[in-house]
Amino acid sequence: MIGVSLVVAWAVVSSVRQIGPTSGPYRRAVARSFGVVVTPLAAASQSSGKALAKLMAGGAMQDRAAFLGTLATLVSQTRVAARTVDLAVPPEPAGASGCRDALDARAAAGAAIESALVGLLGGPTGAAPVSEPVVTAALEGTGTGLEAADAAWARCRSMLRRGPGTVRVPASTWGADGGSWSGPALSQFVSAVSGSASLAARHDLAVLPGSVGLQPA
């Protein structure tokens, strides 16, 4: 879906630039082209938000590969959405740029969440885990950013609806103002992830008892 949005974005931007920038038709065309770009991105971003919510709810019960794969996918999808919306001509009024701000914030949050949780698990080898309080604080700050992103998207929708072209774009919220992003809930989640046996690193190389000796003793 996001790949299609990239193609559409280039086509729409090219056509809009052929209209005089001072005219009413130009302003309406800009707003409508922006709506064409962000409408599928709303659905894609909503899907990413649901994947994150599912991870926050039951990630501690997943295996390590699935957990890390979900985080990597989240980062990839949010980055593509942010790059795609950057192709669109900024609409008027200026407040409509909130859709872009929201997608940029979600991309930054995705990277921060991956970094925090991979650190909690000790990195690729599991050898150097970051402390639970540090990870909890990092996630709490990320939740604040996601709450602001939801508000920015809501402002964007409102401004587009009232601005030139009367553009309507879908709602998009990651629900960061809910209880799952509160300090106590995050602390419980981080503790569960840190103590999860299924998320612990597994190594194929091992030293078996009796297999090593020293000569001379």
Side-chain angles (χ1 to χ4, degrees):
M1 179 180 294
I2 293 180
V4 174
S5 299
L6 282 167
V7 176
V8 172
W10 277 114
V12 172
V13 169
S14 298
S15 64
V16 167
R17 286 174 176 164
Q18 298 174 12
I19 308 174
T22 61
S23 67
Y26 171 83
R27 291 193 295 272
R28 288 192 294 273
V30 167
R32 288 168 181 167
S33 70
F34 191 77
V36 168
V37 173
V38 302
T39 292
L41 294 181
S45 188
Q46 197 73 2
S47 177
S48 296
K50 288 180 179 179
L52 176 59
K54 184 177 180 180
L55 185 77
M56 301 288 286
M61 295 181 288
Q62 293 184 356
D63 64 65
R64 189 180 179 93
F67 187 87
L68 297 178
T70 298
L71 290 172
T73 299
L74 176 72
V75 171
S76 175
Q77 290 178 341
T78 53
R79 282 178 177 169
V80 170
R83 286 198 299 266
T84 302
V85 77
D86 283 343
L87 296 175
V89 178
E92 294 182 8
S97 64
C99 286
R100 176 177 294 173
D101 296 340
L103 294 178
D104 285 344
R106 289 171 183 173
I113 291 167
E114 181 188 42
S115 177
L117 294 179
V118 170
L120 178 66
L121 295 179
T125 64
V130 177
S131 69
E132 292 183 20
V134 170
V135 173
T136 300
L139 292 178
E140 204 167 356
T142 300
T144 301
L146 289 177
E147 185 175 353
D150 286 353
W153 189 278
R155 287 195 303 273
C156 169
R157 293 184 70 222
S158 177
M159 298 297 282
L160 285 172
R161 189 169 59 249
R162 295 183 318 210
T166 317
V167 177
R168 296 182 179 275
V169 299
S172 180
T173 174
W174 281 24
D177 57 343
S180 61
W181 288 90
S182 66
L186 287 173
S187 180
Q188 184 177 7
F189 167 72
V190 167
S191 180
V193 169
S194 178
S196 171
S198 63
L199 293 177
R202 296 285 188 270
H203 303 288
D204 294 331
L205 180 63
V207 177
L208 301 178
S211 63
V212 177
L214 296 176
Q215 292 296 332

